[in-house]
Amino acid sequence: MRRPTAPAGAPAASATAAGPARAAVPGPSVTSKGTTELDPRAVYFVSYDGLVNNNSFQKNGLLTHEGHQYAAWYTASRDAVVARRALGSATWSTVTLPHRLKADDSHNVISMGVSAADGRLHLNMDSHSDGFFYVKSAAGLLDDPAGTAWTPSVFGAVRTTLDGLALTPQFTYPQFVATPEGRLQLSYRAGISGNGRNALAEYDGARWTALGEWTSATGTYTGEHGSSTARNMYLHGIDYDTRGRLHALFTWREQNAAVMRSGGGIANHDTGYVWSDDRGRTWRNDAGTVVGTTGGPDKVCAGDGGLVVDPLGPDHSLMNQESQATDSAGRPHAVISYVPGRFGRCTTDYVADRTAHGRAFHLRKTASGGWRKTEIPVPLASSQRTRLVLDRYDNAYAVLPYGRIAAASQASGYTDWRLLYDGGGLNAFGEVVIDETRVRADNVLSFLYQEKSAGTTPSALHVADFALPA
């Protein structure tokens, strides 16, 4: 079994007569800090080739705030639970919420968010193109975790609105994102796969407000094989950088399978990019041109110019909702994955073909303003998604299916990708859920994973921790 390896950075500079040496910036490295068990018997069923407790697009199924880490999942009895621990502790304290998973659907994840304005933990759960369930904690719970009892009484009633604000009867993919001034936004899709719109709501510490939809499903896309007149934008993420800019990388999925050579693929195409400097009210393309306004008549659509930063047709089983991050200079990065053309002109079975030939790619905006894509030289051996993390030195880590970790150094221009950890001993099912916030808190990469099982036999749920360069 391959273990975590040493850093891949350049050797330290030596002192010269001109003056003392400056320490070299470390390259990427991971050092295992062990694993903890959340649940010995978490619910297990395979749906849409994934598990409901570890679909990697959860934002956030695992998060860190004020020295404590929080996790959410469904137990074997289908109860929704939320747990916390002090960073470094092996012991989790669990609260069972008054809600049970309603369907065997891996889309119906639990997502968590923090509103710093009032110290509340928010959870949105159990939806796939239908209604959601929402609960929030008492004010101040997250500000004083050591002095606040972790009991069911600190959570309010489970509701089917955001404190009375109804959004859409076709709700999917909740993603919480904290604004720089401490508000909390909720990104979601209204509509269905292939015919949906992205929208935002915002919590200011007192009430929720619907900001509205910002993408359109309309317009005509014409490819090599046919046309489609409806689609939806799948986000690879939605994140603020350290300077307050909101970034979103994405792919389009067409409703009409006629755009593909084979109906066994996925009708996803192209990687696009938009950004906002006014908290998601106005959206601009890569060149800075306004292409949509949230809640307004002009929304981001497939016909807008300047959106595509990495073109790819719909015959390669490009994955949706993969991963993104922003570096210390505010530049966006993403991991995307598909079957490269060297393995054939088109995919005919996206699960089998991605498992046999799928590759992940690191896509990033460069300092000169262009975009560069680098293949990560580790076969996916899975149909599932990869997660991206950047450390404090902007080294990049791709957490591949089964908990494998590959990395590349910022110093190399991200050309030296290699496998640092092979996931040995985890027995992970596939995708993992990353704690996007902990890296900033204490230079630790944490991810939640579930052990492989069979049928509907429950299996253990864990969190693995790896120290990154300090």
Short mmCIF file of all heavy atoms in Angstrom, two decimals, residues 273 286-287 309 331-332 364-372:
data_model
loop_
_atom_site.label_atom_id
_atom_site.label_comp_id
_atom_site.label_asym_id
_atom_site.label_seq_id
_atom_site.Cartn_x
_atom_site.Cartn_y
_atom_site.Cartn_z
N TYR A 273 -17.29 29.84 -17.79
CA TYR A 273 -16.89 30.60 -16.60
C TYR A 273 -17.59 31.95 -16.58
O TYR A 273 -17.66 32.64 -17.59
CB TYR A 273 -15.37 30.79 -16.59
CG TYR A 273 -14.86 31.76 -15.55
CD1 TYR A 273 -14.96 31.47 -14.19
CD2 TYR A 273 -14.28 32.97 -15.92
CE1 TYR A 273 -14.49 32.36 -13.24
CE2 TYR A 273 -13.81 33.86 -14.98
CZ TYR A 273 -13.92 33.56 -13.62
OH TYR A 273 -13.46 34.44 -12.68
N ASP A 286 -15.70 35.90 -19.13
CA ASP A 286 -14.27 35.94 -18.83
C ASP A 286 -13.64 37.27 -19.20
O ASP A 286 -12.71 37.74 -18.54
CB ASP A 286 -13.58 34.79 -19.58
CG ASP A 286 -12.14 34.59 -19.15
OD1 ASP A 286 -11.83 34.82 -17.97
OD2 ASP A 286 -11.32 34.21 -20.01
N ALA A 287 -14.15 37.93 -20.23
CA ALA A 287 -13.61 39.22 -20.67
C ALA A 287 -14.16 40.40 -19.88
O ALA A 287 -13.70 41.53 -20.07
CB ALA A 287 -13.91 39.41 -22.15
N VAL A 309 -14.51 28.56 -21.83
CA VAL A 309 -13.06 28.68 -21.64
C VAL A 309 -12.33 27.39 -21.99
O VAL A 309 -11.11 27.38 -22.11
CB VAL A 309 -12.73 29.11 -20.20
CG1 VAL A 309 -13.29 30.50 -19.93
CG2 VAL A 309 -13.23 28.11 -19.17
N ARG A 331 -7.40 33.85 -8.74
CA ARG A 331 -7.60 33.20 -10.04
C ARG A 331 -8.34 31.88 -9.86
O ARG A 331 -8.01 31.09 -8.96
CB ARG A 331 -6.26 32.98 -10.74
CG ARG A 331 -5.60 34.28 -11.19
CD ARG A 331 -4.36 34.00 -12.03
NE ARG A 331 -3.28 33.48 -11.23
CZ ARG A 331 -2.29 34.21 -10.71
NH1 ARG A 331 -2.27 35.52 -10.90
NH2 ARG A 331 -1.33 33.64 -10.02
N PRO A 332 -9.30 31.59 -10.74
CA PRO A 332 -10.08 30.35 -10.61
C PRO A 332 -9.35 29.13 -11.16
O PRO A 332 -8.61 29.22 -12.16
CB PRO A 332 -11.34 30.65 -11.43
CG PRO A 332 -10.89 31.65 -12.45
CD PRO A 332 -9.84 32.48 -11.78
N ARG A 364 -7.08 26.01 -15.32
CA ARG A 364 -6.87 27.19 -14.48
C ARG A 364 -6.67 28.42 -15.34
O ARG A 364 -6.24 28.35 -16.50
CB ARG A 364 -5.64 26.99 -13.58
CG ARG A 364 -4.33 26.91 -14.35
CD ARG A 364 -3.15 26.61 -13.44
NE ARG A 364 -1.90 26.52 -14.19
CZ ARG A 364 -1.07 27.52 -14.39
NH1 ARG A 364 -1.32 28.71 -13.88
NH2 ARG A 364 0.05 27.34 -15.08
N LYS A 365 -6.98 29.56 -14.73
CA LYS A 365 -6.69 30.84 -15.37
C LYS A 365 -5.27 31.26 -14.99
O LYS A 365 -4.90 31.23 -13.82
CB LYS A 365 -7.69 31.90 -14.94
CG LYS A 365 -7.56 33.19 -15.74
CD LYS A 365 -8.77 34.09 -15.57
CE LYS A 365 -8.70 35.26 -16.52
NZ LYS A 365 -9.91 36.10 -16.48
N THR A 366 -4.49 31.68 -15.96
CA THR A 366 -3.10 32.03 -15.72
C THR A 366 -2.96 33.52 -15.40
O THR A 366 -3.89 34.31 -15.57
CB THR A 366 -2.25 31.70 -16.96
OG1 THR A 366 -2.66 32.56 -18.04
CG2 THR A 366 -2.42 30.25 -17.37
N ALA A 367 -1.78 33.89 -14.96
CA ALA A 367 -1.52 35.29 -14.63
C ALA A 367 -1.66 36.20 -15.84
O ALA A 367 -1.97 37.39 -15.71
CB ALA A 367 -0.12 35.42 -14.02
N SER A 368 -1.45 35.66 -17.04
CA SER A 368 -1.56 36.46 -18.26
C SER A 368 -3.00 36.59 -18.74
O SER A 368 -3.28 37.30 -19.71
CB SER A 368 -0.71 35.85 -19.37
OG SER A 368 -1.18 34.54 -19.70
N GLY A 369 -3.92 35.89 -18.08
CA GLY A 369 -5.32 36.00 -18.44
C GLY A 369 -5.85 34.89 -19.31
O GLY A 369 -7.06 34.82 -19.57
N GLY A 370 -4.98 33.99 -19.78
CA GLY A 370 -5.43 32.85 -20.57
C GLY A 370 -5.82 31.68 -19.68
O GLY A 370 -5.80 31.77 -18.44
N TRP A 371 -6.17 30.58 -20.31
CA TRP A 371 -6.55 29.37 -19.59
C TRP A 371 -5.63 28.23 -20.02
O TRP A 371 -5.29 28.12 -21.20
CB TRP A 371 -8.00 29.00 -19.87
CG TRP A 371 -8.96 29.97 -19.24
CD1 TRP A 371 -9.34 31.20 -19.73
CD2 TRP A 371 -9.64 29.81 -18.00
NE1 TRP A 371 -10.22 31.82 -18.86
CE2 TRP A 371 -10.43 30.98 -17.79
CE3 TRP A 371 -9.68 28.81 -17.03
CZ2 TRP A 371 -11.22 31.16 -16.67
CZ3 TRP A 371 -10.48 28.98 -15.91
CH2 TRP A 371 -11.23 30.13 -15.73
N ARG A 372 -5.24 27.42 -19.05
CA ARG A 372 -4.34 26.31 -19.32
C ARG A 372 -4.93 25.03 -18.72
O ARG A 372 -5.41 25.03 -17.59
CB ARG A 372 -2.96 26.59 -18.74
CG ARG A 372 -1.92 25.52 -19.07
CD ARG A 372 -0.53 26.01 -18.70
NE ARG A 372 -0.17 27.20 -19.49
CZ ARG A 372 0.90 27.95 -19.26
NH1 ARG A 372 1.71 27.65 -18.26
NH2 ARG A 372 1.15 29.00 -20.02
#
